Amino acid sequence: MESASPAASPVLPSSAGALRPGLPTSALSALLRLARRLPLLLLAYAVPGVITSSQTYFYAQAKDPTYPFGRALLVQLPPWWYWALATPLVLALGWRFRLERGVWLRSLRVHVPALIGLTLPHLLLIVFISRLAGEKWFLDNSLAFIMPLMLAKYGVTDVIIYSGILSVGYAMDYHRRYREGELAQSQLETRLAHAQLDALRAQLHPHFLFNTLNAISVLVRKQDTAGSIRMLTGVSELLRMALNTTGRQQVPLHEDLDFLDRYLDIEQTRFQDRLQVVRAIDSATLGALVPSLILQPLVENAIKHGLGTRSGAGRVELRASREGGRLVLEVLDDGPGLAPGWDTQGGCIGVANVRARLRQLYGDRHAFTLENRAEGGVRARLELPFQSASPEVPVS
C-alpha cells in the first residue's frame, strides 16, 4: 500500500442519520442497520483501493516487469476494506461522543483510544497480506522492526481516514437536520395559513356577517352614526389585522389581544348583553411572544359551546400571567362544559390546529389542557416558555 489515503465514502452519510442521539432505537440496532449497508461500503472503498493498486503496479513495473496486477490488488484492497468494516463503528462512536463545542475534550478521550485501537490491527493486516503476497521487505524483516516504521508511515494517514469518516458523517447529519428544519418550518407556515383562513372564515361566516350588518343597520336607523362607524371600522380592522399577520409565526401578546378585542367587539354586538368578557391580563406579559392567532380559536370555541347553545347570558374570561420562566394563558367560560366522552386530546378542528402548532413550535416545552371546571364551564390553559419580543433593558 504505497499511497494509502482512503477518504470517507459517499455512501456513509445515508446511514449516519440512523445513529444520531435521541432516536428510540438502540446503538446496537443502528449499528446493525449500518452493517446491512456493508456491500455498498465495500464497493465504495474499492474505488481508492483500485487506484492505489494501479499506483503500486506501475511503480513495481520499473523494478520488476513481471509484477502482476493481481498481486497489487491483494496488497492494496484489504487495507481499504478494513476501513469499510470499521466505518459503522467509527460513525457510532461519532454520534455517541460528538466533537462539538463544550464536549469535544471529553469526546477526544474516547476517540483517541478508538483510533489507536483501529490503527494497530490495520498495520498488522498490511504486514500480514504483504508477507502473504511475497513482498520481500516484509519477509526479510521482523515484526518488531517493521511496526515502528509502519506506524510512522501510516499513523497520520489513519488519523486522516478516521477524521474523514467523522467529517462526512457530521456533514450529512447537519444537512439532514437542515432539511428537517425546512420541512418543520413549511408545516408551521401551512398551519398558520390554515389558522388565518379559519379565522377569516369564522369572521365572514354568513350568520356572523349578517348579524353584524343587521346591528349596523339598527344603529343607522337610530341615527347612531358613531356606533355604526365603530362597527364598520371594527370589521375592516379585524380583516386587516388578520391579513397583516401573514407569515409571522409568533407575535407579541398585545398584538394577539388587539386582534382578539376586535373579534370580541363584534361578537358582543352579536350577542348584545348576553356576552360578558372579563380580562385579567398581567401587564408584564404583554411583550411576550405567542403563536399568532392562538387565542382566537379558543375564545371562539368558548363562545360557541359556552354561550351559543343557551338563551341566557354567558361569561368569557381571559387570563395571562407569568410564572417564573413560563407564560400562562387561560380562556374560561361558564357554559355547560364538555360533553361526556368529548375528546380532550383532539377536539374540534380549531383546537386540534392549536395543539398541533404548539407541538411544532415548542415540542415538549409547552402544556395545553382543555377541561371542565369544578364550578361549571370549560377552562383552556396554555403554558409556554416566556420569550420576550424585544431584549429586556437592564434597570440602571
Side-chain angles (χ1 to χ4, degrees), residues 9 23 61 82 98 103 108 177 206 336:
S9 163
L23 287 180
Q61 289 298 304
Y82 170 85
R98 301 183 71 87
V103 297
L108 276 182
R177 292 186 189 183

Side-chain angles (χ1 to χ4, degrees), residues 92-99 103 106-108 110-111 170:
L93 290 175
W95 297 119
R96 176 66 180 84
F97 304 96
R98 301 183 71 87
L99 293 171
V103 297
R106 185 178 57 188
S107 298
L108 276 182
V110 174
H111 286 291
Y170 286 151

Side-chain angles (χ1 to χ4, degrees), residues 321-369:
S321 60
R322 179 174 183 174
E323 296 181 3
R326 309 282 283 176
L327 173 67
V328 179
L329 303 173
E330 291 182 311
V331 178
L332 306 96
D333 67 70
D334 60 351
L338 300 172
W342 198 85
D343 182 10
T344 57
Q345 297 304 313
C348 61
I349 293 176
V351 173
N353 190 26
V354 167
R355 199 184 301 280
R357 291 181 63 203
L358 292 173
R359 186 167 53 247
Q360 285 192 297
L361 274 172
Y362 303 105
D364 295 333
R365 297 179 299 128
H366 83 280
F368 174 47
T369 57

